[in-house]
Amino acid sequence: MADKIDFPVQLVQPDGRRVHRPDYATLVSDVGPAELRDLYEDMVVARRIDTEATALQRQGQLGIWAPLLGQEAAQVGSVRALNPDDYIFTSYREHAVAYCRGVDPAVMTRMWRGCAYSGWDPAAVNMTNPAIVVGSQGLHATGYALGVHLDGAEIATLVYFGDGATSQGDMSEALGFAMSFNAPVVFFCQNNQWAISEPVHLQSPSPIARRAAGFGMPAVQVDGNDVLAVLAVTRQAARHVREGAGPSFVEAITYRMGPHTTADDPTRYRTAAENEVWLARDPIDRMRRLLVREGLFDDAFAQRVADRADDVGSRLRAGALEAADPGPDELFEHVYATAHPLIDEERAAYRAYLDNLTAGEEALS
């Protein structure tokens, strides 16, 4: 029933013990020892991407960064549930999704450094670049999902957004349109408890998943710090939309352990006690405890993961520091898909302005 929201799905407790949920465990029954280790490695590498980029921003090498610290399981579990031809629309915090989708770490920071309009070619990885306008990606995803459905493609489209975005009109329009036209889109809400400095209970006194139910859309809440549970519910949601059953909604309950962006100071609105509660639910620690319990964690594996994280971190740092500043003409590229006389005119005027400016400086010298 669309109006029925169960308790959040959980398959692994914070101490690493399995939870008996056969209805969802069957959805990840193919996840064996190797796959469990891979999920852990993905999360560790994602955290390293985040800490490296945050350090680069603090060192003045990036203009800003939106950390994902604490949300690794929500992102890794969901993206690993998708097929290569499924399409992803992101907000601005899905760095783990980008990594798992195959985006080169060397290009992940280009937009945040201010030397490019975007970081990667969306068509190469079936994933959009970060969407800065909060909630706008919901409409983009819904339109895309409907379009590919009309073209006959049997794929899932998944859109990421935060709890704060659910208060935006764009998201309500997207949910309503998706239901009206049976668009095959999975709405994936990372409820990280804070929309910048606004707590989620202030903007939504009832579970966010109930907003989807209000549109008649099936919705599920999941422990967003449990990578296995996220993998299971996202697989279920993606299968639902691929089979033509209409859109689906997932609310992953997680926590933003760091600031909203590097321009934010969360100590002004959050308590240390709250942080401690969620620190005990750290998604990476949880997965490591599961691996230890099942005899899958040893020194050799830990070193392999650390080496991988170091390599990715180094590539990200080198890519940021080596990124070239764009030339003036690049301001006019990609405004239109094809040549446009107005852009040609503005480009010529800007070139003339720069030439005159250079000539004036040379005259003064």
Short mmCIF file of all heavy atoms in Angstrom, two decimals, residues 35-71:
data_model
loop_
_atom_site.label_atom_id
_atom_site.label_comp_id
_atom_site.label_asym_id
_atom_site.label_seq_id
_atom_site.Cartn_x
_atom_site.Cartn_y
_atom_site.Cartn_z
N GLU A 35 32.00 -9.71 -2.68
CA GLU A 35 31.16 -8.53 -2.85
C GLU A 35 31.08 -7.70 -1.57
O GLU A 35 31.05 -6.47 -1.62
CB GLU A 35 29.75 -8.95 -3.30
CG GLU A 35 29.67 -9.50 -4.71
CD GLU A 35 30.14 -10.95 -4.82
OE1 GLU A 35 30.26 -11.62 -3.77
OE2 GLU A 35 30.39 -11.40 -5.95
N LEU A 36 31.04 -8.36 -0.43
CA LEU A 36 31.04 -7.63 0.84
C LEU A 36 32.31 -6.81 0.99
O LEU A 36 32.28 -5.65 1.41
CB LEU A 36 30.90 -8.60 2.02
CG LEU A 36 29.54 -9.28 2.19
CD1 LEU A 36 29.61 -10.32 3.30
CD2 LEU A 36 28.44 -8.26 2.50
N ARG A 37 33.43 -7.42 0.63
CA ARG A 37 34.70 -6.70 0.71
C ARG A 37 34.73 -5.53 -0.27
O ARG A 37 35.25 -4.45 0.05
CB ARG A 37 35.85 -7.67 0.41
CG ARG A 37 36.20 -8.61 1.56
CD ARG A 37 37.36 -9.49 1.18
NE ARG A 37 38.06 -10.00 2.37
CZ ARG A 37 39.25 -10.60 2.32
NH1 ARG A 37 39.86 -10.75 1.15
NH2 ARG A 37 39.82 -11.04 3.42
N ASP A 38 34.16 -5.74 -1.45
CA ASP A 38 34.14 -4.65 -2.43
C ASP A 38 33.31 -3.46 -1.94
O ASP A 38 33.69 -2.30 -2.14
CB ASP A 38 33.56 -5.16 -3.75
CG ASP A 38 34.51 -6.08 -4.51
OD1 ASP A 38 35.70 -6.10 -4.16
OD2 ASP A 38 34.05 -6.77 -5.43
N LEU A 39 32.19 -3.74 -1.30
CA LEU A 39 31.36 -2.66 -0.76
C LEU A 39 32.12 -1.88 0.31
O LEU A 39 32.06 -0.64 0.36
CB LEU A 39 30.07 -3.23 -0.17
CG LEU A 39 29.06 -3.79 -1.18
CD1 LEU A 39 27.95 -4.55 -0.45
CD2 LEU A 39 28.46 -2.67 -2.03
N TYR A 40 32.84 -2.59 1.15
CA TYR A 40 33.65 -1.93 2.19
C TYR A 40 34.72 -1.06 1.53
O TYR A 40 34.92 0.10 1.92
CB TYR A 40 34.28 -2.97 3.09
CG TYR A 40 35.22 -2.39 4.12
CD1 TYR A 40 34.73 -1.82 5.30
CD2 TYR A 40 36.60 -2.40 3.92
CE1 TYR A 40 35.60 -1.27 6.24
CE2 TYR A 40 37.47 -1.85 4.86
CZ TYR A 40 36.96 -1.29 6.02
OH TYR A 40 37.81 -0.74 6.95
N GLU A 41 35.40 -1.61 0.54
CA GLU A 41 36.46 -0.84 -0.13
C GLU A 41 35.90 0.41 -0.79
O GLU A 41 36.50 1.49 -0.70
CB GLU A 41 37.15 -1.72 -1.18
CG GLU A 41 38.26 -0.99 -1.93
CD GLU A 41 38.97 -1.89 -2.93
OE1 GLU A 41 39.50 -2.95 -2.52
OE2 GLU A 41 39.00 -1.52 -4.12
N ASP A 42 34.75 0.29 -1.45
CA ASP A 42 34.13 1.46 -2.07
C ASP A 42 33.89 2.56 -1.05
O ASP A 42 34.14 3.75 -1.33
CB ASP A 42 32.79 1.07 -2.71
CG ASP A 42 32.95 0.27 -3.99
OD1 ASP A 42 34.06 0.30 -4.57
OD2 ASP A 42 31.96 -0.36 -4.41
N MET A 43 33.40 2.20 0.12
CA MET A 43 33.10 3.21 1.14
C MET A 43 34.36 3.85 1.69
O MET A 43 34.41 5.07 1.90
CB MET A 43 32.27 2.58 2.26
CG MET A 43 30.85 2.22 1.86
SD MET A 43 29.78 1.86 3.27
CE MET A 43 30.46 0.30 3.82
N VAL A 44 35.39 3.05 1.89
CA VAL A 44 36.66 3.60 2.40
C VAL A 44 37.27 4.56 1.38
O VAL A 44 37.74 5.66 1.73
CB VAL A 44 37.63 2.47 2.75
CG1 VAL A 44 39.02 3.04 3.08
CG2 VAL A 44 37.13 1.66 3.93
N VAL A 45 37.26 4.16 0.12
CA VAL A 45 37.81 5.02 -0.93
C VAL A 45 36.99 6.31 -1.05
O VAL A 45 37.55 7.40 -1.20
CB VAL A 45 37.85 4.28 -2.28
CG1 VAL A 45 38.24 5.23 -3.41
CG2 VAL A 45 38.84 3.12 -2.21
N ALA A 46 35.66 6.18 -0.95
CA ALA A 46 34.80 7.36 -1.02
C ALA A 46 35.12 8.34 0.10
O ALA A 46 35.16 9.56 -0.11
CB ALA A 46 33.34 6.95 -0.95
N ARG A 47 35.37 7.81 1.29
CA ARG A 47 35.72 8.70 2.40
C ARG A 47 37.05 9.39 2.15
O ARG A 47 37.25 10.56 2.51
CB ARG A 47 35.73 7.93 3.71
CG ARG A 47 36.01 8.81 4.92
CD ARG A 47 35.64 8.17 6.23
NE ARG A 47 34.19 7.99 6.36
CZ ARG A 47 33.60 7.55 7.48
NH1 ARG A 47 34.33 7.25 8.55
NH2 ARG A 47 32.28 7.42 7.51
N ARG A 48 37.99 8.67 1.54
CA ARG A 48 39.28 9.28 1.24
C ARG A 48 39.14 10.38 0.20
O ARG A 48 39.78 11.44 0.29
CB ARG A 48 40.26 8.22 0.75
CG ARG A 48 41.63 8.77 0.36
CD ARG A 48 42.30 9.54 1.52
NE ARG A 48 43.53 10.16 1.11
CZ ARG A 48 44.71 9.54 1.09
NH1 ARG A 48 44.79 8.27 1.47
NH2 ARG A 48 45.79 10.17 0.71
N ILE A 49 38.30 10.17 -0.79
CA ILE A 49 38.01 11.22 -1.77
C ILE A 49 37.51 12.47 -1.05
O ILE A 49 37.94 13.59 -1.33
CB ILE A 49 36.95 10.73 -2.79
CG1 ILE A 49 37.58 9.71 -3.75
CG2 ILE A 49 36.34 11.90 -3.56
CD1 ILE A 49 36.57 9.03 -4.65
N ASP A 50 36.63 12.25 -0.11
CA ASP A 50 36.03 13.36 0.62
C ASP A 50 37.04 14.10 1.48
O ASP A 50 37.10 15.34 1.47
CB ASP A 50 34.89 12.82 1.49
CG ASP A 50 33.95 13.90 1.97
OD1 ASP A 50 33.41 14.65 1.13
OD2 ASP A 50 33.77 14.02 3.19
N THR A 51 37.83 13.37 2.23
CA THR A 51 38.82 14.02 3.11
C THR A 51 39.90 14.72 2.30
O THR A 51 40.38 15.79 2.69
CB THR A 51 39.44 13.01 4.07
OG1 THR A 51 40.01 11.91 3.34
CG2 THR A 51 38.39 12.44 5.03
N GLU A 52 40.28 14.14 1.16
CA GLU A 52 41.31 14.76 0.32
C GLU A 52 40.80 16.06 -0.28
O GLU A 52 41.49 17.09 -0.28
CB GLU A 52 41.72 13.80 -0.79
CG GLU A 52 42.99 14.20 -1.52
CD GLU A 52 44.24 14.01 -0.65
OE1 GLU A 52 44.36 12.98 0.03
OE2 GLU A 52 45.10 14.92 -0.67
N ALA A 53 39.56 16.04 -0.77
CA ALA A 53 39.00 17.25 -1.36
C ALA A 53 38.77 18.33 -0.30
O ALA A 53 38.98 19.52 -0.57
CB ALA A 53 37.69 16.91 -2.07
N THR A 54 38.33 17.91 0.88
CA THR A 54 38.16 18.88 1.97
C THR A 54 39.49 19.53 2.33
O THR A 54 39.57 20.76 2.53
CB THR A 54 37.55 18.19 3.20
OG1 THR A 54 36.26 17.66 2.87
CG2 THR A 54 37.40 19.17 4.35
N ALA A 55 40.55 18.73 2.38
CA ALA A 55 41.88 19.28 2.66
C ALA A 55 42.31 20.24 1.57
O ALA A 55 42.89 21.31 1.85
CB ALA A 55 42.89 18.14 2.79
N LEU A 56 42.02 19.91 0.32
CA LEU A 56 42.38 20.80 -0.79
C LEU A 56 41.66 22.14 -0.65
O LEU A 56 42.24 23.20 -0.91
CB LEU A 56 42.02 20.15 -2.12
CG LEU A 56 42.98 19.07 -2.62
CD1 LEU A 56 42.33 18.26 -3.73
CD2 LEU A 56 44.29 19.70 -3.12
N GLN A 57 40.41 22.09 -0.25
CA GLN A 57 39.67 23.35 -0.08
C GLN A 57 40.27 24.17 1.06
O GLN A 57 40.44 25.39 0.93
CB GLN A 57 38.20 23.05 0.19
CG GLN A 57 37.28 24.26 0.04
CD GLN A 57 37.33 25.20 1.24
OE1 GLN A 57 37.52 24.76 2.38
NE2 GLN A 57 37.12 26.50 0.98
N ARG A 58 40.59 23.53 2.15
CA ARG A 58 41.18 24.24 3.29
C ARG A 58 42.53 24.85 2.93
O ARG A 58 42.95 25.84 3.52
CB ARG A 58 41.33 23.30 4.49
CG ARG A 58 40.03 22.71 5.02
CD ARG A 58 38.99 23.76 5.33
NE ARG A 58 37.83 23.21 6.04
CZ ARG A 58 36.65 23.78 6.11
NH1 ARG A 58 36.45 24.93 5.47
NH2 ARG A 58 35.66 23.22 6.79
N GLN A 59 43.20 24.25 1.96
CA GLN A 59 44.51 24.75 1.52
C GLN A 59 44.38 25.79 0.40
O GLN A 59 45.39 26.25 -0.14
CB GLN A 59 45.36 23.57 1.03
CG GLN A 59 45.72 22.60 2.14
CD GLN A 59 46.15 21.23 1.63
OE1 GLN A 59 46.29 21.02 0.44
NE2 GLN A 59 46.35 20.29 2.53
N GLY A 60 43.16 26.16 0.08
CA GLY A 60 42.93 27.20 -0.92
C GLY A 60 42.94 26.72 -2.35
O GLY A 60 42.97 27.54 -3.28
N GLN A 61 42.91 25.40 -2.56
CA GLN A 61 42.96 24.87 -3.91
C GLN A 61 41.59 24.64 -4.53
O GLN A 61 41.48 24.48 -5.75
CB GLN A 61 43.75 23.54 -3.91
CG GLN A 61 45.19 23.68 -3.46
CD GLN A 61 46.00 24.59 -4.37
OE1 GLN A 61 45.71 24.73 -5.56
NE2 GLN A 61 47.01 25.25 -3.82
N LEU A 62 40.55 24.61 -3.72
CA LEU A 62 39.18 24.51 -4.22
C LEU A 62 38.38 25.68 -3.65
O LEU A 62 38.63 26.11 -2.52
CB LEU A 62 38.52 23.20 -3.80
CG LEU A 62 39.19 21.88 -4.21
CD1 LEU A 62 38.34 20.69 -3.74
CD2 LEU A 62 39.41 21.82 -5.71
N GLY A 63 37.42 26.13 -4.41
CA GLY A 63 36.60 27.24 -3.93
C GLY A 63 35.67 26.79 -2.81
O GLY A 63 35.46 27.51 -1.83
N ILE A 64 35.12 25.59 -2.95
CA ILE A 64 34.17 25.06 -1.98
C ILE A 64 34.07 23.56 -2.22
O ILE A 64 34.44 23.05 -3.28
CB ILE A 64 32.79 25.75 -2.12
CG1 ILE A 64 31.91 25.50 -0.89
CG2 ILE A 64 32.10 25.32 -3.40
CD1 ILE A 64 30.64 26.33 -0.88
N TRP A 65 33.54 22.83 -1.25
CA TRP A 65 33.34 21.38 -1.38
C TRP A 65 32.15 21.01 -0.51
O TRP A 65 31.94 21.56 0.57
CB TRP A 65 34.58 20.61 -0.93
CG TRP A 65 34.47 19.12 -1.03
CD1 TRP A 65 34.34 18.22 -0.01
CD2 TRP A 65 34.54 18.33 -2.22
NE1 TRP A 65 34.30 16.93 -0.48
CE2 TRP A 65 34.42 16.97 -1.86
CE3 TRP A 65 34.66 18.64 -3.59
CZ2 TRP A 65 34.43 15.94 -2.79
CZ3 TRP A 65 34.69 17.60 -4.51
CH2 TRP A 65 34.57 16.27 -4.10
N ALA A 66 31.35 20.06 -1.01
CA ALA A 66 30.19 19.56 -0.26
C ALA A 66 30.50 18.15 0.25
O ALA A 66 30.41 17.19 -0.52
CB ALA A 66 28.95 19.55 -1.14
N PRO A 67 30.90 18.00 1.51
CA PRO A 67 31.34 16.70 2.02
C PRO A 67 30.21 15.66 2.07
O PRO A 67 29.05 16.00 2.30
CB PRO A 67 31.83 17.03 3.44
CG PRO A 67 32.11 18.49 3.44
CD PRO A 67 31.09 19.07 2.51
N LEU A 68 30.60 14.40 1.90
CA LEU A 68 29.65 13.29 2.02
C LEU A 68 29.88 12.48 3.29
O LEU A 68 29.21 11.46 3.50
CB LEU A 68 29.75 12.36 0.80
CG LEU A 68 31.05 11.58 0.57
CD1 LEU A 68 31.12 10.29 1.39
CD2 LEU A 68 31.18 11.20 -0.90
N LEU A 69 30.80 12.91 4.14
CA LEU A 69 31.19 12.16 5.32
C LEU A 69 29.99 11.64 6.10
O LEU A 69 29.15 12.41 6.55
CB LEU A 69 32.05 13.05 6.23
CG LEU A 69 32.68 12.39 7.45
CD1 LEU A 69 33.69 11.33 7.03
CD2 LEU A 69 33.34 13.44 8.34
N GLY A 70 29.90 10.33 6.26
CA GLY A 70 28.81 9.69 6.97
C GLY A 70 27.74 9.12 6.07
O GLY A 70 26.89 8.33 6.51
N GLN A 71 27.76 9.48 4.80
CA GLN A 71 26.73 9.05 3.86
C GLN A 71 27.25 8.03 2.85
O GLN A 71 26.63 7.78 1.81
CB GLN A 71 26.12 10.26 3.14
CG GLN A 71 25.46 11.25 4.09
CD GLN A 71 24.89 12.46 3.39
OE1 GLN A 71 24.99 13.58 3.90
NE2 GLN A 71 24.27 12.28 2.25
#
